[in-house]
Amino acid sequence: MVQFGSRLTEAKQKKWASKYVDYDRLKGLLGVVVSKKKKEKAVGARNFENGLSRAVIEKALTECGCGGERVVKEWWSVRGSYAVLVQVFDLGLVLEFEKVEALALSESSFLKDRWAHHRAEDLESFREGEEFGAEETSLRRALSQLHSDANEILEFVLWNFTAFAKITKKRDKMLPDEPPIRDLFVGSPQVQALQRAEDLRSTLAGIQLEFARLYCDDDLSEAELRLRDQPLGYSRDSLRLGYRAGVAAMLSVWVLWDCVEVVGDNRDSVASKPAWPVFRVAGELVAWHWMWGACVHVWTTYRVNVDFLFDTDPRAPQRNPFEVYDEAAMETILLLALLLVYYKATYRDGLPACVAAYVRPATIATLAPVVVVCVAVMRLVLPWHRRKPLWGSLGRVVAAPCRAARFVDAYVADVASSMVRILGDAMWSFCFLLGGVKESRQTMAVVCLLPVWFRFAQCLRKYHDDHEKKQLFNAAKYALSLFVALSSALQLTGTTWLVVFCLSSAYSWYWDVFLDWGLGTTERSRMYPSWWYATAVVFDVFGRFVWLATLIPPMEFADRLKKIIPEPLVPMLALAELARRCVWGFFRLEYEHVSHVNTRLFVPTHFTLRRPPKRTPPRARKIQSFFESLAIAALVITLLVRISSASAAQNDRS
């Protein structure tokens, strides 16, 4: 049978993982107490006869000479005599219960307020006799979400109650000479009130009753079954995503292995080819598509209401993070396949003879980058119903400061400012397609500085609209970045550039951590695991300095950078900044969500007229799956043949 501690660990919900009773620490401390018991007499502690009282235990510890704040903060690490450790174990029980009780009461109260708001706002029209319209699906989903949240809190309460019951039973069994505490602790008014969870169960019953009234002809049993099975708007085709991701990984290994083998035969690497920047910018865009999927995944998992914060059109189809992953996987497959074909077409005998006999390698080498650009443009525009909000936001960004900046526009501008290297590669690709037109360093500087300028203009417009001095300091941050980039473009080297560079990096990092993420305030509530925040702070330092160091640096610095970092690894610098911006987005939206919660009681979860995502017809899905299966089989066979022929050639040479 699986031990309870392991089952509890598996059952923990990520968002509340640190709020569960620390069963393993209590169990470990109990083992230390038992080891001390053999050498000392029983204490006869009776700490729970009058309920749970921390003061009684702390008084007993003070009499034993082991009181103080440290014992309360780190009770699990206290070491001493048997008499001390028995009291410390009881203190640990009380402290863990207070932690569990605080979260349960807070979440139950929050859910109760949400339910009251939902009844007052969303259900009032139906009580007045209005007919169901396009809101029906959204209303079902909102009730199901409330029901799911209530059950999560109830599950949290019951798991912790069971943990307290088991650890106190284990304590009574392992310390038979001490007065038993299980019945006293579990039967105390505080623990019983937690276990009953009357307010929570009342809210849960109200949700079921309302759902039964609206959809099940007042049948509560049917309502409970349908609520548990009600989808929340997400459909995951894990199998398709799995094999597409597998194909993308296989192609990645093939590209790396083949490039290394070719370079080993005294041929140039792929980074030295004329069209390499075209593939590089496409790869960076695909990488951001993966990162956007990660953003949506994190926000969805931890209930950050992106639709509300971004002011999304409620009539737009819902997005599933796994659908984003699926699209990114397909784009990765296409990009890597074209890169492999292009690379092989640039050297003698790179393509199979059967292909070279019908199509000239030079033609393939010319067409492959063109296809990459066409596909990239198509994916940036289509499907239009999904891309329209993005392009609308970009239009408002470009119009700054003539247009008021919404939160989503500021987010898009910030992301665009992290893509200056991608814009440089895009500019080069545009000149490449025009037949090798040379771009000047000054032109590249202007193109790369535009996103930073637009964000700077947004800050000035925000100050004009809201009269917040904070916006002036934010504008100063982007002004420093503009100065660094402009001085780099004009090749103004020296200590001044270095000082401004370090100042801009430090200032931007400070703004990220303390203003955009709100980590400077102790009362800020947090939705993510605690270790995420410390890791993000450290990562942001690295990302800020690395990215600004590559923002069109002075000529001498660029030459040194090329000596340190090989050309094929240059995209890693852009990817590092994209990853930093992705992580920044996790906490920026989380802080905005928390700020709304503090000012508006909660962020609404119900959106009217919300439509499910469009689905591909079954017949089209079958045809698509068939051709994908054929492509995967051909890829595997080709790869095996390639490996076999390479091994045979190597054996012949040896």
Side-chain angles (χ1 to χ4, degrees):
M1 181 178 178
V2 180
Q3 294 184 349
F4 178 79
S6 301
R7 293 171 55 203
L8 178 63
T9 301
E10 294 175 357
K12 286 182 179 180
Q13 301 176 53
K14 292 181 180 179
K15 57 183 176 181
W16 300 328
S18 62
K19 302 300 182 181
Y20 281 75
V21 56
D22 203 331
Y23 186 84
D24 291 333
R25 279 179 173 169
L26 287 170
K27 186 178 177 182
L29 181 58
L30 184 58
V32 177
V33 174
V34 172
S35 66
K36 294 281 187 177
K37 183 188 67 154
K38 301 177 182 178
K39 303 177 183 178
E40 302 182 34
K41 296 181 180 179
V43 177
R46 300 180 182 276
N47 294 319
F48 304 118
E49 289 185 343
N50 297 316
L52 307 187
S53 175
R54 191 203 299 186
V56 174
I57 306 175
E58 290 180 344
K59 181 180 179 181
L61 283 170
T62 303
E63 293 174 355
C64 296
C66 189
E69 190 68 21
R70 177 184 172 277
V71 177
V72 175
K73 289 184 177 180
E74 300 179 0
W75 55 266
W76 61 88
S77 62
V78 174
R79 293 295 179 265
S81 63
Y82 171 74
V84 169
L85 292 179
V86 168
Q87 302 288 350
V88 170
F89 179 82
D90 290 353
L91 177 64
L93 283 173
V94 175
L95 292 173
E96 290 299 296
F97 173 78
E98 290 176 353
K99 177 179 69 175
V100 171
E101 182 185 44
L103 185 129
L105 292 177
S106 173
E107 292 293 330
S108 298
S109 176
F110 181 60
L111 182 73
K112 187 177 181 180
D113 291 341
R114 287 172 56 197
W115 173 233
H117 176 85
H118 184 77
R119 286 186 299 172
E121 298 294 333
D122 300 323
L123 297 176
E124 192 62 29
S125 60
F126 298 112
R127 290 196 180 96
E128 293 175 358
E130 294 186 11
E131 296 182 358
F132 278 68
E135 298 182 332
E136 181 175 1
T137 301
S138 179
L139 184 59
R140 284 173 179 263
R141 189 180 302 120
L143 287 172
S144 182
Q145 186 67 68
L146 287 167
H147 184 267
S148 175
D149 293 347
N151 276 302
E152 285 183 355
I153 303 170
L154 186 60
E155 183 180 358
F156 171 83
V157 168
L158 295 179
W159 271 105
N160 283 284
F161 177 81
T162 305
F164 285 121
K166 284 190 171 292
I167 196 65
T168 50
K169 180 180 179 181
K170 185 180 289 291
R171 184 264 191 196
D172 292 346
K173 181 179 180 181
M174 299 180 72
L175 301 177
D177 297 332
E178 297 291 340
I181 66 169
R182 181 183 182 276
D183 293 340
L184 293 174
F185 186 91
V186 175
S188 64
Q190 298 97 316
V191 177
Q192 284 298 307
L194 176 70
Q195 189 267 340
R196 287 195 298 270
E198 293 177 351
D199 286 346
L200 178 61
R201 295 177 190 272
S202 175
T203 301
L204 188 61
I207 296 170
Q208 294 176 355
L209 183 64
E210 198 65 51
F211 192 93
R213 185 184 71 84
L214 293 174
Y215 302 108
C216 304
D217 296 329
D218 294 327
D219 188 339
L220 288 175
S221 300
E222 177 68 13
E224 184 174 3
L225 291 174
R226 292 176 63 179
L227 275 168
R228 292 184 180 276
D229 295 334
Q230 184 74 18
L232 300 182
Y234 301 108
S235 60
R236 305 179 180 182
D237 192 347
S238 302
L239 179 61
R240 185 175 63 180
L241 173 60
Y243 73 69
R244 284 184 176 177
V247 172
M250 186 185 303
L251 276 171
S252 301
V253 173
W254 188 353
V255 169
L256 292 174
W257 175 75
D258 207 59
C259 291
V260 169
E261 180 199 0
V262 172
V263 173
D265 289 338
N266 298 321
R267 292 189 175 92
D268 295 333
S269 68
V270 67
S272 64
K273 303 301 179 182
W276 165 243
V278 177
F279 291 92
R280 188 168 65 194
V281 67
E284 290 161 351
L285 290 174
V286 171
W288 175 250
H289 203 170
W290 281 103
M291 294 176 193
W292 174 248
C295 289
V296 177
H297 196 167
V298 169
W299 294 329
T300 302
T301 302
Y302 291 95
R303 309 278 175 81
V304 178
N305 197 329
V306 184
D307 292 329
F308 176 78
L309 299 177
F310 280 171
D311 196 19
T312 306
D313 183 359
R315 295 167 295 179
Q318 285 189 323
R319 293 311 311 275
N320 180 350
F322 290 89
E323 292 178 354
V324 181
Y325 291 145
D326 192 50
E327 292 176 357
M330 201 64 199
E331 293 164 359
T332 304
I333 292 172
L334 184 59
L335 176 64
L336 291 176
L338 288 171
L339 176 60
L340 191 63
V341 170
Y342 168 76
Y343 187 35
K344 288 182 173 296
T346 57
Y347 63 87
R348 184 184 295 273
D349 299 330
L351 293 174
C354 59
V355 176
Y358 291 97
V359 184
R360 293 176 56 204
T363 303
I364 295 178
T366 302
L367 290 178
V370 177
V371 173
V372 169
V373 172
C374 292
V375 172
V377 172
M378 182 185 69
R379 293 298 298 156
L380 287 171
V381 177
L382 300 176
W384 178 244
H385 68 277
R386 291 181 180 174
R387 304 294 186 259
K388 183 179 179 181
L390 171 63
W391 287 103
S393 182
L394 285 173
R396 292 188 295 272
V397 169
V398 173
C402 300
R403 293 284 300 273
R406 301 186 302 174
F407 176 75
V408 63
D409 302 332
Y411 177 85
V412 170
D414 277 320
V415 172
S417 68
S418 294
M419 294 185 171
V420 291
R421 181 165 289 278
I422 298 177
L423 288 176
D425 287 340
M427 183 68 179
W428 190 98
S429 301
F430 177 75
C431 295
F432 175 81
L433 292 177
L434 291 180
V437 177
K438 296 293 184 181
E439 76 286 352
S440 66
R441 184 179 178 85
Q442 287 72 23
T443 304
M444 292 286 288
V446 171
V447 171
C448 294
L449 289 178
L450 283 177
V452 184
W453 165 258
F454 292 142
R455 189 68 185 95
F456 172 77
Q458 281 184 338
C459 295
L460 296 180
R461 176 57 189 255
K462 287 285 290 183
Y463 174 73
H464 176 269
D465 293 341
D466 302 334
H467 303 289
E468 294 182 358
K469 291 185 177 180
K470 183 180 77 170
Q471 297 300 330
L472 290 180
F473 291 105
N474 198 12
K477 178 185 70 172
Y478 294 101
L480 286 173
S481 300
L482 286 170
F483 178 84
V484 172
L486 282 174
S487 60
S488 303
L490 299 175
Q491 303 181 26
L492 300 177
T493 60
T495 56
T496 303
W497 180 87
L498 183 61
V499 170
V500 176
F501 162 74
C502 295
L503 178 62
S504 178
S505 299
Y507 189 17
S508 298
W509 173 83
Y510 176 86
W511 194 277
D512 285 347
V513 174
F514 294 99
L515 278 302
D516 285 344
W517 300 349
L519 297 184
T521 56
T522 55
E523 64 273 9
R524 179 197 188 283
S525 56
R526 301 184 177 186
M527 303 175 68
Y528 300 144
S530 57
W531 65 269
W532 281 31
Y533 298 89
T535 304
V537 168
V538 175
F539 181 67
D540 198 69
V541 174
F542 168 79
R544 275 296 182 186
F545 279 87
V546 168
W547 179 244
L548 201 55
T550 60
L551 188 64
I552 319 177
M555 289 300 224
E556 293 83 354
F557 188 85
D559 294 337
R560 296 174 192 165
L561 195 64
K562 289 181 180 179
K563 293 179 181 179
I564 298 173
I565 303 176
E567 183 65 22
L569 297 183
V570 169
M572 296 303 171
L573 297 176
L575 294 182
E577 168 58 14
L578 291 179
R580 187 201 66 80
R581 183 60 69 183
C582 174
V583 174
W584 174 87
F586 294 168
F587 299 95
R588 181 67 189 94
L589 267 76
E590 181 246 6
Y591 181 52
E592 190 71 12
H593 180 107
V594 169
S595 300
H596 279 81
V597 168
N598 292 337
T599 56
R600 304 188 184 188
L601 297 180
F602 65 93
V603 178
T605 59
H606 175 62
F607 277 87
T608 59
L609 306 177
R610 197 69 170 150
R611 294 192 307 226
K614 295 181 179 180
R615 298 298 177 197
T616 307
R619 182 179 179 82
R621 284 203 303 269
K622 290 181 180 179
I623 296 175
Q624 181 182 7
S625 299
F626 173 75
F627 283 106
E628 285 187 7
S629 300
L630 289 180
I632 293 172
L635 176 64
V636 172
I637 294 173
T638 305
L639 182 58
L640 292 176
V641 172
R642 184 74 180 87
I643 294 175
S644 301
S645 60
S647 300
Q650 185 176 2
N651 292 333
D652 293 340
R653 288 196 299 266
S654 61

